[in-house]
Amino acid sequence: MASILVIDDEPNMRAALERHLMAGGHEVSVAGNGAEAMEMVERRPVDLVITDLYMPGMDGVEFTIRLRQGHPDVKVIAISGGGWKNNAEALELARRVGAHRTLPKPFQQDELLATVDSVLERE
């Protein structure tokens, strides 16, 4: 069982991700933005972060950069449904700054769990 932090500014998406990950046997905590999530990681380390890219305040790219600086061993999966930029470009940027994998929204529960398992098994 892994400790996973989900970051998304949409409450329904956070709840759905939490439910799916818990069904997959993981311990899950949630945050509504990058700043809140960074405080949580500082207080209690996690194995994996799943972060949305487009959020007010500290977005997922900035969060990933800061996480890589202070917690380089934490795995990251970036997710995005679009936003104001090209989604493929945003997901590629997330990879370049340190996300281990990316998932475009919408995705299926089995795809999410398979991606989580793949990232956690890497090292």
Side-chain angles (χ1 to χ4, degrees):
M1 172 173 74
S3 174
I4 300 174
L5 173 60
V6 172
I7 314 166
D8 200 301
D9 61 323
E10 296 179 23
N12 291 339
M13 179 58 91
R14 276 195 314 268
L17 289 170
E18 181 179 27
R19 189 172 50 254
H20 295 326
L21 293 165
M22 289 178 71
H26 300 288
E27 177 184 319
V28 183
S29 53
V30 297
N33 60 60
E36 178 186 359
M38 191 57 66
E39 289 176 12
M40 292 173 72
V41 170
E42 294 299 332
R43 286 192 310 258
R44 184 170 173 261
V46 296
D47 301 310
L48 171 69
V49 173
I50 299 175
T51 184
D52 188 23
L53 292 181
Y54 296 104
M55 298 178 289
M58 185 189 305
D59 65 22
V61 170
E62 183 180 352
F63 173 84
T64 301
I65 291 168
R66 289 187 183 189
L67 183 71
R68 298 269 55 81
Q69 292 170 348
H71 304 274
D73 294 335
V74 176
K75 309 286 192 288
V76 177
I77 297 173
I79 59 175
S80 179
W84 55 271
K85 294 182 181 178
N86 180 298
N87 198 39
E89 288 177 12
L91 291 170
E92 177 56 32
L93 176 59
R95 279 189 286 276
R96 283 188 270 141
V97 300
H100 295 81
R101 291 284 299 274
T102 60
L103 278 175
K105 293 178 188 174
F107 45 80
Q108 299 297 315
Q109 179 178 352
D110 59 341
E111 183 180 10
L112 171 67
L113 294 175
T115 301
V116 166
D117 288 346
S118 172
V119 169
L120 290 172
E121 291 173 0
R122 276 192 179 176
E123 295 176 17

